[in-house]
Amino acid sequence: MTHDDLHDLFAPFARVMLKRMFGGTSVYVDGRIIAIEIDGVLYLKADDVTEPVFEAEGLQKFTYSAKGKTMTMRYFQTPDAAYEDPDAFRPWFKLAVEAAMRAPKPKKKAVT
């Protein structure tokens, strides 16, 4: 997905800020990360409250390899139908934003 694709996907719901990270892109709303895009796949943020919803849909959790081990993060693949239909994307976007807002606020970097 290009940055334009990501902006288009989120445009009906919020203005997003995109940052390059780890070979992909992180997606922020109001200074909080709500999604990551890696290799053309968008993963939405989850937490204790929302993770069961993603799992019930059979959506894949984001995994990566580090030092020979498989690591997971609390981000789940976006359903295929949500890429093409804003009404289908809306509930998933809402879940990701809610999870991000419940997470501890990111600490600001010290200015030196």
Side-chain angles (χ1 to χ4, degrees):
M1 299 185 87
T2 67
H3 280 198
D4 286 342
D5 294 334
L6 290 168
H7 280 292
D8 289 347
L9 181 64
F10 287 96
F13 312 108
R15 185 178 179 144
V16 296
M17 185 175 79
L18 307 176
K19 291 185 182 178
R20 292 236 179 259
M21 61 162 258
F22 309 119
T25 303
S26 54
V27 181
Y28 292 82
V29 170
D30 295 332
R32 293 179 182 251
I33 188 168
I34 64 160
I36 56 175
E37 179 274 329
I38 305 287
D39 295 328
V41 178
L42 183 66
Y43 297 89
L44 299 169
K45 186 171 186 64
D47 64 4
D48 288 340
V49 175
T50 61
E51 193 166 313
V53 179
F54 286 92
E55 290 174 338
E57 288 294 317
L59 298 169
Q60 297 296 310
K61 195 177 231 186
F62 175 71
T63 62
Y64 65 97
S65 295
K67 299 181 181 179
K69 294 183 180 180
T70 299
M71 309 298 285
T72 61
M73 293 176 65
R74 284 188 132 170
Y75 290 85
F76 283 82
Q77 189 171 5
T78 302
D80 290 341
Y83 287 105
E84 299 299 324
D85 180 3
D87 289 332
F89 185 62
R90 183 183 317 276
W92 299 103
F93 168 79
K94 185 177 177 193
L95 290 173
V97 170
E98 289 170 354
M101 294 304 163
R102 282 190 291 269
K105 192 168 184 174
K107 294 181 182 179
K108 293 189 178 195
K109 294 180 182 177
V111 178
T112 55

